[in-house]
Amino acid sequence: MTKNSAWTILAVIGAIVIAWFLVNVLFSLVAFVVKLILVAIVAVIVYVVMRVFVGGRDDRR
């Protein structure tokens, strides 16, 4: 095996390790954003339901 081949193999292994790390970070970020959106949607639904049950009995007319 020549010196060039060894460096090429090390470069490929390094690229795979870096790509693995970046994909993990990207998936974590996407999962966090999706979770944040779902929490916001559920919070709006809960708020509307609470307003209907609690705020619907306002007889101050």
Side-chain angles (χ1 to χ4, degrees):
M1 181 175 345
T2 65
K3 193 174 183 182
N4 257 355
S5 298
W7 280 112
T8 301
I9 292 171
L10 286 176
V12 168
I13 291 171
I16 291 171
V17 169
I18 291 170
W20 190 278
F21 174 75
L22 289 176
V23 168
N24 269 344
V25 169
L26 181 66
F27 279 157
S28 296
L29 186 62
V30 168
F32 177 74
V33 170
V34 168
K35 201 179 291 188
L36 197 62
I37 291 170
L38 288 174
V39 166
I41 291 170
V42 170
V44 168
I45 292 170
V46 169
Y47 175 76
V48 168
V49 169
M50 287 174 62
R51 290 280 297 188
V52 166
F53 284 119
V54 175
R57 297 187 180 122
D58 192 14
D59 294 332
R60 288 186 277 166
R61 294 183 217 190

